[in-house]
Amino acid sequence: MVPDDETDKAVTFPDLLAIQPVATTTTFIHSSDNLLTIDPTAISLHLPNLQAEAVVAKKSKPSLKRSVGRPERQTPLEITEVPRKGSVCLTPDQMRSLKYRRMRDLNNEASKKCRKNRKVKQSVKEQDCQELEEKNRMLKEKMLAKESEVAVWRAKCRAIGYSL
């Protein structure tokens, strides 16, 4: 069979690259709860010479929230001990090195403790904020109920001739 018009020609890969997009992915990708489905009829409208089959791809399940950063140390951090003068023969450079290492170890532990305390304080503040927001929502509902009750009583008072 000889192709007699443009629609009967076979589409090659370089030809596909030259085709200008006429549709976005939103026009032919439909989402459901945990499956993505590509509608073959929509594809065939835009690329008529391709054999289109429905493509189904599984979405990844939402994982639990992972902690960010380095995993917590399983063993306790050992603080470098600096020997007393005279107990061990060390050069002044070695002594300075041990003192510096001890200072860094202590500072690392203090920083870790400070970050942990800050995180605890922040979570307590967030929890308090949520509780206050809930209390505020309940008080607003109560206030609206009271305002509507006042409006009803005012209407009743006006109906019997009292002006407020």
Side-chain angles (χ1 to χ4, degrees), residues 11-27:
V11 177
T12 62
F13 186 70
D15 294 336
L16 284 176
L17 293 177
I19 295 174
Q20 293 296 321
V22 292
T24 61
T25 55
T26 57
T27 59

Side-chain angles (χ1 to χ4, degrees), residues 127-141:
Q127 186 177 2
D128 289 345
C129 183
Q130 288 176 350
E131 289 171 1
L132 289 172
E133 284 175 350
E134 179 64 24
K135 186 176 180 179
N136 188 25
R137 186 187 62 75
M138 290 174 57
L139 289 173
K140 282 182 179 180
E141 287 177 4

Side-chain angles (χ1 to χ4, degrees), residues 57-143:
K58 275 202 170 254
K59 281 186 183 177
S60 62
K61 290 186 178 180
S63 62
L64 297 175
K65 190 173 183 181
R66 291 177 48 182
S67 62
V68 178
R70 206 179 264 184
E72 193 170 331
R73 180 186 296 269
Q74 299 299 320
T75 59
L77 181 66
E78 294 181 19
I79 306 296
T80 305
E81 294 294 325
V82 177
R84 300 220 181 262
K85 284 188 177 182
S87 64
V88 178
C89 292
L90 295 174
T91 65
D93 283 343
Q94 290 173 331
M95 193 64 134
R96 266 195 305 272
S97 174
L98 284 175
K99 285 181 181 179
Y100 179 77
R101 183 72 257 152
R102 178 176 170 77
M103 181 184 69
R104 293 303 315 142
D105 290 343
L106 290 171
N107 183 262
N108 289 344
E109 281 298 306
S111 298
K112 183 178 172 182
K113 185 178 176 182
C114 179
R115 284 190 294 270
K116 184 178 178 181
N117 287 337
R118 190 179 337 136
K119 190 182 282 188
V120 167
K121 285 180 185 177
Q122 181 65 25
S123 65
V124 167
K125 284 181 182 179
E126 287 175 0
Q127 186 177 2
D128 289 345
C129 183
Q130 288 176 350
E131 289 171 1
L132 289 172
E133 284 175 350
E134 179 64 24
K135 186 176 180 179
N136 188 25
R137 186 187 62 75
M138 290 174 57
L139 289 173
K140 282 182 179 180
E141 287 177 4
K142 199 182 260 189
M143 182 184 72

